[in-house]
Amino acid sequence: MQKVRRVISVIVQNEAQVLARVSGLFAGRGYNIDSLTVATIPNSDMSHMTIVTRGSSRVMEQIIKQLHKLIPVYKVIEHDSMVEKEMVLVKFPIQKGENIAAIQALFEAYNGGIVNASEEVLIAMAADESHRINHCIDASQVFSPSEIVRSGVVAMER
Amino acid sequence: MKISGAQMVCEAIIAEGAKYVFGYPGGAIMNVYDEIYKQNGFEHILTRHEQAAVHAADAYARVSGEVGVAMVTSGPGFTNAVTGLATAYMDSIPMVVISGQIPVSLIGTDGFQEVDAVGISRPCTKHNYLVKSIEDLPRILKEAFYIARSGRPGPVLVDIPKDITSEIAEFKYPDSVNIPTYKPSYNGNNRQIKKAVEAILQAKKPLLYIGGGAVLSNAYEIIREFAKVTGIPAVETLMARGVMGDSNELHIGMPGMHGNYASNMAMSETDLLISLGARFDDRVTGKLSEFAKYADIIHIDIDPANIGKIVDVDYPIVGDVRIVVGKMLDALKDKVNKERYQVWRDLLKRYNEVHPLTYQDSDEVIKPQWVVERIGELVGEDATVTSDVGQHQMWAAQFFPFSRPRQWVNSGGLGTMGFGLPAALGAKMADPSKTVINITGDGSILMNIQELVTAAENGIAVVNVMLNNHFLGMVRQWQTFFYEKRYSETDLSYQPNWKMLTEACGGVGYDVTTKEEFDEALKDAIKQNKVAFINVAVDRFENVLPMVPAGGALYNMMLEYKER
Ligand SMILES: Cc1ncc(C[n+]2csc(CCOP(=O)(O)OP(=O)(O)O)c2C)c(N)n1
Ligand SMILES: [Mg+2]
C-alpha cells in the first residue's frame, strides 16, 4: 500500500480531553502524526485542528471515520484542494554581523524576514508551504542556525 | 431545588429508570453510597469485585435492552472495572459506569487512590467524562445515558471527584440533550436502499449475514419476516445467536472459525452477502482474500466506521438494522420471487445434511456437547444462557437450540474469561422469569468465583454448569493442533473441591460423572431456587470442530481431528 501525505482538518468542540481523543486514535493504531496544530475558531466554542499524516487510503478512510465517531468532533475535512502554510522560526548566532543581510534576503524569499535581533542572536521567520520551508531550512544551514522551530501546517480548503 | 452532587447521581439514575445498580463502594464514591442508603428508587447489588459489577450491569443491559448501571470507587476500584468496560465496548453494550475520583484540587498530585480514569478508559469507552464542576453534573449524567443507548450503543464512564459529590447546587435534570457534534443517523439512505433492493432481486444466491447489531436494534421480528417473505437463507454470528431461531428452516447456522460447514460454504459461495449489523470480525471472515469471493456486499450498519473497515462494500447503508430492513422489505414484498433462490436453499440444506454439526457420543465419558444439548432439551426456551470463554462457549453457541435473541449472553468481541457468572447474575435480575444457566469452564469460573457469594446473599438463583475438562481447553486444543502437544501451562488437574466451595459460599453443589447424574443434578438445581453449581466431568481431550485455522480460508475447514 502506498503511503501518501495527507492533510486533514478536524473541527472539534473546544473542551478538555479532545486533543487526547484525537491523537489517541493515531497512537492506538501505531500511526505517526507529522504535524498537528490547534487553535480556537474565533467567535465559537469550537477549535480547528490541522493534522498532517501519512497512510494508505484504507487506513486514512478508517481514521477519518473514527474521528467522525468521536463525540466532540463536529466535522472532518480531508483536504484535496487547499492552501497550506507553515511557519518556521530560526535562531542564528551573530558573529560579526556580516551575515545579517544575507539571512534577511533568504527569509524574505520565503514570505518572512528577521523578527528579532539582540547582541548575540537574531531570529528569522518564514511562512510558506511545507516543502518550501524545508528548502528555507536547508538554505539556512550555511549560517549555522542554533535552533529551529516549525509550527506545523495550517490548511484551508479553497 | 438545591441538592448535593451525590443526590444528583441518584436522581439521575432514578430518572433514567434504572432498577438496579451493580457496584462496590470506597473512599472517593462514599458520598454517593450515603445517598444510595437513603433512597429507594433503585436497588444496589453489592458484587464482590468491581469487574463483576460491570459484567453484571452489562449482562443486565444485554438481556433487558436497557442501559446497565455500575458504580465503583477511584483508583483500584476503577482499574478493576476496566476489563468490564472493554468487554462492553467490544460488544457495543449500552452501559453507564460511575466512578469516584479524588477531589478536584488533588487531581494530578498522585493522591491516594488516584488514577487517570478518563485516560485509561478512553480507548475502551464510547465516551467518558471527568466532571470538573457541579454545574455540569446534571447535563453530563443526562448525556451519558443518551450516548450509551443511542446510535451504536456502548459504555460511557462518568468520573466524579469526591468534592463534587458533596457540593450543593441547584438541580434540574434536563429533559433533552443537545450535542451538536453527535447526531447518529438511523434511517438509511433511500437511494442506497433502492439499489440494494435491485441487487437482491438480481441475485441468485443471496445470504443474510446477521450480527450483534440485529440484537441491539431489536430487529429480529422484521429480519425473520424479511427472510420468510424473500426466502433468503441466513447465517448468524456468535453475537446474533437466536435472532432467526434455530428451528427456522432458513437458519443455516453460525459461520466462522467454529462455524458449521454449511454456513461457511454459504459465506464462500454466496453472490450477494447482506450484512445486518455484523462487522466482519476476523474470527468470522477467515482469510480475507478468499472471503465471500464471489459476492457483492450490502453492508447495513449504524456505525459508518464499520462499513468498508475490513472488506470493500458495494452497497453501504448507514442506519439502524430494524428500520432499514423494514424499508427493504416494503420495497421487495411485491417483487420478490422466493422460487428464484430455491436451488440455493436446496444446496445449503444439502450441505447441512452431508456435514451437520456433530460429535461422537460415548457411554464411558460425558461429552461436553451432550451436556449442552441436554440442557437444551431439559430447559430450552425457558433458559437464558450465559457463558465464559473457551471451548465450552463454542459448544454452547453450536449446540444449544436458541429460539430468541437476548437468550444468549457471551463476551464475543473481547473474549473475557470470568464474564459468565457475573453475567448470569445480571441476566437473572433482568428477567427473573427465565432459568439462567451459566455454561462455564474450569478455568474461566475461577476468575470471578467470588460472585457465588453475591448470588447466595441476594437469592439470585442461577445454575452454573461447568464443563470440567481439567484444562484451559481452548488453549490446549491449539497446542494439540499447532504446537505438537506441548501442553504448556494449560493442565488444570489441580482443582478445588467444587461442591464444597459452592456450599461454603451458600450455594448448592453437584459432582457429576454420568448422564443420569447430570439429569438429576440439573433438575434438582433448578428446583432449589438458589445458586447452584454442577461440576460435570467431561472428556478431557474433546476438540471444538469444525475449525478454520486462524488465517485460513473459510471453506478450508478441519472437520475432524486426525492424530498424527
Ligand atoms: C481473561 C482471559 N485470559 C486469557 C484468555 C485466553 N483463553 C481463551 S480460552 C482459555 C481457556 C479457558 O479455559 P476454560 O474456562 O476451562 O474453558 P475450556 O476451553 O476448557 O472449555 C484461555 C486461557 C482469555 N480469553 N481471557
Ligand atoms: Mg476447561
Side-chain angles (χ1 to χ4, degrees):
Chain A
M1 282 273 181
Q2 219 198 328
K3 288 197 168 182
V4 187
R5 176 178 184 268
R6 323 263 170 173
V7 182
I8 42 186
S9 284
V10 191
I11 315 299
V12 299
Q13 202 84 45
N14 178 17
E15 62 184 34
Q17 275 209 80
V18 67
L19 180 59
R21 290 188 205 281
V22 169
S23 60
L25 280 185
F26 289 81
R29 292 170 173 74
Y31 303 141
N32 198 16
I33 295 178
D34 286 346
S35 90
L36 185 155
T37 65
V38 202
T40 53
I41 297 173
N43 306 320
S44 83
D45 50 8
M46 303 266 177
S47 292
H48 186 128
M49 293 185 183
T50 313
I51 301 173
V52 181
T53 184
R54 249 162 257 276
S56 65
S57 41
R58 166 156 275 158
V59 164
M60 285 315 298
E61 191 185 321
Q62 185 54 209
I63 285 192
I64 285 164
K65 283 177 171 170
Q66 293 292 342
L67 283 169
H68 270 294
K69 229 171 113 171
L70 295 175
I71 307 288
V73 167
Y74 182 62
K75 205 157 120 183
V76 185
I77 306 157
E78 202 182 357
H79 289 297
D80 172 26
S81 162
M82 64 185 156
V83 175
E84 70 168 284
K85 289 285 178 235
E86 180 172 4
M87 201 185 87
V88 66
L89 294 174
V90 187
K91 188 186 279 175
F92 300 97
I94 303 177
Q95 256 89 45
K96 283 166 241 102
E98 75 258 37
N99 289 333
I100 297 179
I103 291 172
Q104 168 105 19
L106 172 64
F107 279 81
E108 277 175 3
Y110 293 94
N111 300 318
I114 290 173
V115 291
N116 188 279
S118 68
E119 289 188 0
E120 293 98 44
V121 296
L122 67 79
I123 298 174
M125 179 275 290
D128 214 323
E129 279 159 32
S130 295
H131 67 277
R132 301 234 333 133
I133 294 292
N134 293 343
H135 294 163
C136 177
I137 291 169
D138 288 347
S140 307
Q141 294 304 325
V142 293
F143 307 116
S144 311
S146 59
E147 196 179 342
I148 301 172
V149 179
R150 297 176 72 141
S151 66
V153 170
V154 291
M156 192 178 270
E157 198 68 8
R158 276 191 243 269
Chain B
M1 180 181 47
K2 285 198 162 197
I3 58 174
S4 71
Q7 282 173 297
M8 292 182 191
V9 171
C10 294
E11 290 296 328
I13 291 169
I14 294 165
E16 294 292 344
K19 287 218 261 325
Y20 299 103
V21 172
F22 300 87
Y24 208 102
I29 194 77
M30 278 188 70
N31 293 331
V32 180
Y33 272 88
D34 194 42
E35 292 305 326
I36 289 177
Y37 188 88
K38 297 177 202 160
Q39 60 81 46
N40 49 24
F42 60 85
E43 195 183 326
H44 181 277
I45 306 290
L46 176 72
T47 57
R48 295 307 195 264
H49 191 299
E50 288 89 351
Q51 182 190 349
V54 182
H55 288 329
D58 167 323
Y60 184 89
R62 291 182 201 236
V63 172
S64 69
E66 284 151 31
V67 180
V69 185
M71 194 174 291
V72 300
T73 192
S74 70
F78 166 75
T79 54
N80 274 348
V82 172
T83 302
L85 284 169
T87 302
Y89 182 66
M90 287 295 278
D91 291 343
S92 307
I93 304 304
M95 187 164 71
V96 171
V97 176
I98 291 166
S99 54
Q101 182 55 279
I102 65 167
V104 174
S105 58
L106 287 177
I107 290 177
T109 65
D110 301 333
F112 177 63
Q113 295 194 329
E114 173 176 13
V115 76
D116 174 6
V118 286
I120 289 175
S121 64
R122 201 176 293 127
C124 59
T125 51
K126 182 174 175 186
H127 195 52
N128 61 17
Y129 294 91
L130 169 61
V131 183
K132 292 293 286 291
S133 151
I134 187 139
E135 276 72 52
D136 297 334
L137 185 57
R139 174 186 57 82
I140 286 175
L141 290 164
K142 180 80 189 175
E143 285 182 5
F145 279 89
Y146 173 73
I147 290 171
R149 68 162 77 88
S150 58
R152 178 180 183 178
V156 178
L157 175 80
V158 184
D159 195 38
I160 316 178
K162 189 171 186 181
D163 47 345
I164 289 184
T165 48
S166 61
E167 207 178 326
I168 309 266
E170 190 61 35
F171 177 74
K172 186 180 172 299
Y173 197 58
D175 301 321
S176 59
V177 295
N178 176 25
I179 312 170
T181 55
Y182 175 67
K183 307 270 182 222
S185 47
Y186 295 93
N187 289 325
N189 179 303
N190 287 335
R191 282 227 315 279
Q192 286 294 90
I193 292 175
K194 215 171 136 196
K195 281 194 215 158
V197 164
E198 282 309 313
I200 293 171
L201 292 170
Q202 297 304 317
K204 293 202 178 72
K205 303 170 170 183
L207 181 71
L208 301 178
Y209 159 40
I210 305 171
V215 176
L216 295 165
S217 74
N218 297 312
Y220 84 101
E221 282 167 316
I222 193 80
I223 290 174
R224 287 183 187 183
E225 180 73 10
F226 184 92
K228 192 169 149 202
V229 170
T230 60
I232 299 177
V235 296
E236 55 191 31
T237 68
L238 180 65
M239 293 309 296
R241 295 288 290 114
V243 168
M244 287 293 284
D246 288 7
S247 59
N248 191 325
E249 58 175 30
L250 289 164
H251 170 72
I252 306 302
M254 178 176 81
M257 181 172 275
H258 294 300
N260 61 327
Y261 180 83
S263 293
N264 285 341
M265 293 312 285
M267 295 289 255
S268 303
E269 294 180 4
T270 174
D271 66 355
L272 183 67
L273 190 65
I274 307 166
S275 170
L276 307 177
R279 60 181 178 80
F280 300 81
D281 188 278
D282 53 273
R283 285 291 187 266
V284 169
T285 63
K287 187 176 186 180
L288 271 178
S289 56
E290 294 298 306
F291 174 71
K293 229 167 67 176
Y294 307 107
D296 280 349
I297 296 178
I298 300 173
H299 191 169
I300 301 164
D301 202 302
I302 193 130
D303 179 1
N306 266 349
I307 298 179
K309 181 174 70 179
I310 307 290
V311 296
D312 290 328
V313 170
D314 305 276
Y315 305 93
I317 301 174
V318 177
D320 178 84
V321 172
R322 186 169 52 82
I323 295 172
V324 174
V325 172
K327 287 184 174 182
M328 292 203 311
L329 181 57
D330 284 344
L332 273 169
K333 246 195 311 238
D334 304 325
K335 296 190 197 156
V336 72
N337 172 13
K338 281 174 82 158
E339 300 310 308
R340 188 179 169 84
Y341 318 126
Q342 187 63 48
V343 179
W344 172 231
R345 285 193 297 269
D346 290 345
L347 175 70
L348 298 181
K349 193 166 163 221
R350 185 86 195 105
Y351 282 154
N352 256 333
E353 284 161 6
V354 177
H355 294 299
L357 263 185
T358 184
Y359 64 96
Q360 197 75 52
D361 205 3
S362 156
D363 291 330
E364 271 104 66
V365 55
I366 300 184
K367 292 289 185 163
Q369 300 94 328
W370 177 86
V371 178
V372 174
E373 276 183 346
R374 193 68 188 139
I375 299 169
E377 285 160 13
L378 293 178
V379 195
E381 284 193 35
D382 284 337
T384 300
V385 180
T386 67
S387 96
D388 268 300
V389 172
Q391 292 184 310
H392 61 275
Q393 172 193 26
M394 291 299 118
W395 286 317
Q398 289 178 329
F399 289 95
F400 192 88
F402 293 102
S403 52
R404 57 190 157 80
R406 302 188 186 278
Q407 185 180 19
W408 165 238
V409 175
N410 85 133
S411 166
L414 198 67
T416 307
M417 289 171 69
F419 178 78
L421 175 54
L425 306 190
K428 184 72 180 178
M429 308 295 288
D431 187 354
S433 72
K434 298 292 188 299
T435 299
V436 175
I437 310 276
N438 176 35
I439 297 179
T440 183
D442 47 318
S444 300
I445 192 68
L446 284 178
M447 289 205 180
N448 269 316
I449 191 71
Q450 77 286 345
E451 297 313 314
L452 287 176
V453 179
T454 311
E457 181 192 16
N458 293 284
I460 308 171
V462 300
V463 180
N464 296 279
V465 175
M466 185 175 74
L467 305 183
N468 192 353
N469 50 16
H470 294 75
F471 265 125
L472 295 174
M474 186 56 94
V475 183
R476 193 280 306 152
Q477 176 171 339
W478 283 53
Q479 289 169 333
T480 303
F481 287 6
F482 312 120
Y483 292 87
E484 295 169 327
K485 302 188 180 170
R486 288 184 297 277
Y487 295 132
S488 176
E489 304 299 322
T490 46
D491 190 317
L492 299 183
S493 294
Y494 186 88
Q495 300 202 335
N497 181 321
W498 302 99
K499 186 167 154 45
M500 276 168 67
L501 174 62
T502 307
E503 284 168 4
C505 294
V508 50
Y510 308 82
D511 291 318
V512 164
T513 53
T514 66
K515 290 178 173 178
E516 293 68 36
E517 284 171 3
F518 179 75
D519 275 15
E520 266 170 49
L522 183 61
K523 286 175 191 157
D524 191 65
I526 293 168
K527 265 199 303 235
Q528 289 281 337
N529 219 11
K530 60 176 166 182
V531 61
F533 192 108
I534 307 175
N535 164 30
V536 192
V538 298
D539 189 344
R540 288 196 78 193
F541 286 95
E542 190 68 17
N543 296 313
V544 183
L545 291 166
M547 178 169 189
V548 179
L554 275 191
Y555 52 77
N556 275 335
M557 278 158 278
M558 196 191 287
L559 292 174
E560 54 184 347
Y561 171 68
K562 293 194 194 73
E563 290 278 342
R564 268 175 297 171

